[in-house]
Amino acid sequence: MTVNTPDRPETAHLVTPGRQPALTEAPPQRRRQGPSPEKGEFVRPLTRRQIDDRMRELGELYTHTSSSQVRASDASNQDRSAVFRRRLAGHMRRPGFELLVAETAGPSGAIGLTACAYGFPVRGDGPWWDGLDGCLPQSLLRVAAFGRLFAIADILVERRVRTQDQSREWNLARRLQKRLLSDHPAALGVTLVDRDNADTLEALLSWGWRCLSAEARGASYLTPGRLLVLR
């Protein structure tokens, strides 16, 4: 916005002969600030009814943000979206399930979905995750027994979130995972990464996740993926 102000009236100044009038410096121009990164995307939870209504949109977000290298022989985006939606529908039945979305307004003013993260509390008596029943180390089972363990099943973000400003607290992935843990009485977050998915593992480590210690790895070496924890 430009603000126009009326010109100030001129004031006569006496000038000593032979001396040049002093020149006043122009005030430095203030750099225009952009929106705060923390306000770039609006993060909010969806109810189960809202998730059902936007299931197809969430599936499209999954195929758009997935870091997997899709070859010609692999499943199509439509098939991959269907697999994701079936997995999400199953996780929605977990007690305490929560899904967060990040939305932003485009140039036309339309609100678009830019990211998503969801998870559920882990119970100490299981089952808590596909293929991991009985494989959690005792240290995490004790945390789960007190209701302080939360499984983050998926974090779907664009490539730029994976590669830029990963250590900043306003990084969108960090905001999503922090919100999920703060909405529940969780002391630790836990997630599973396929052993051959190096891109996702690298991104999670840059967002503050840590692989289990050597003590805990002995209890999880038979699992189909890597167990990571987040404090």
Side-chain angles (χ1 to χ4, degrees), residues 158-173:
E158 295 179 351
R159 186 71 182 176
R160 62 176 176 82
V161 181
R162 292 172 173 261
T163 58
Q164 300 176 16
D165 302 310
Q166 304 103 312
S167 62
R168 299 297 185 92
E169 288 301 314
W170 45 258
N171 176 278
L172 184 55

Side-chain angles (χ1 to χ4, degrees), residues 11-28:
T11 304
H13 295 279
L14 295 177
V15 179
T16 304
R19 296 181 59 185
Q20 295 295 327
L23 298 178
T24 59
E25 294 183 359

Side-chain angles (χ1 to χ4, degrees), residues 18-162:
R19 296 181 59 185
Q20 295 295 327
L23 298 178
T24 59
E25 294 183 359
Q29 294 184 352
R30 302 178 67 179
R31 180 178 297 179
R32 180 176 297 178
Q33 294 183 350
S36 167
E38 295 186 8
K39 299 180 180 178
E41 285 99 349
F42 177 68
V43 173
R44 68 184 180 98
L46 295 185
T47 65
R48 294 174 188 250
R49 176 69 177 273
Q50 290 172 327
I51 295 173
D52 287 336
D53 291 341
R54 303 182 68 174
M55 188 64 79
R56 183 170 297 277
E57 187 179 0
L58 290 167
E60 292 173 353
L61 177 70
Y62 171 77
T63 58
H64 174 67
T65 59
S66 175
S67 64
S68 301
Q69 298 296 322
V70 180
R71 301 183 298 272
S73 59
D74 290 336
S76 66
N77 282 350
Q78 185 175 0
D79 292 337
R80 295 169 62 231
S81 173
V83 171
F84 166 77
R85 287 183 276 123
R86 285 196 297 270
R87 184 171 72 247
L88 175 57
H91 286 159
M92 285 173 60
R93 294 193 289 269
R94 303 274 185 172
F97 172 88
E98 182 176 356
L99 182 143
L100 300 174
V101 294
E103 298 170 314
T104 188
S108 64
I111 302 299
L113 187 65
T114 61
C116 164
Y118 71 86
F120 41 83
V122 177
R123 299 185 304 173
D125 55 352
W128 74 278
W129 204 312
D130 300 339
L132 282 183
D133 297 343
C135 295
L136 280 179
Q138 288 297 321
S139 58
L140 292 185
L141 285 175
R142 287 192 293 269
V143 177
F146 288 97
R148 305 296 304 279
L149 191 63
F150 190 88
I152 298 181
D154 267 311
I155 303 176
L156 310 180
V157 292
E158 295 179 351
R159 186 71 182 176
R160 62 176 176 82
V161 181
R162 292 172 173 261

Side-chain angles (χ1 to χ4, degrees), residues 157 159 161-163 166 173-174 177 197-209 228:
V157 292
R159 186 71 182 176
V161 181
R162 292 172 173 261
T163 58
Q166 304 103 312
R174 283 180 173 263
Q177 63 192 29
N197 195 340
D199 284 349
T200 295
L201 176 62
E202 181 181 357
L204 288 169
L205 294 176
S206 72
W207 298 330
W209 292 82
L228 276 69

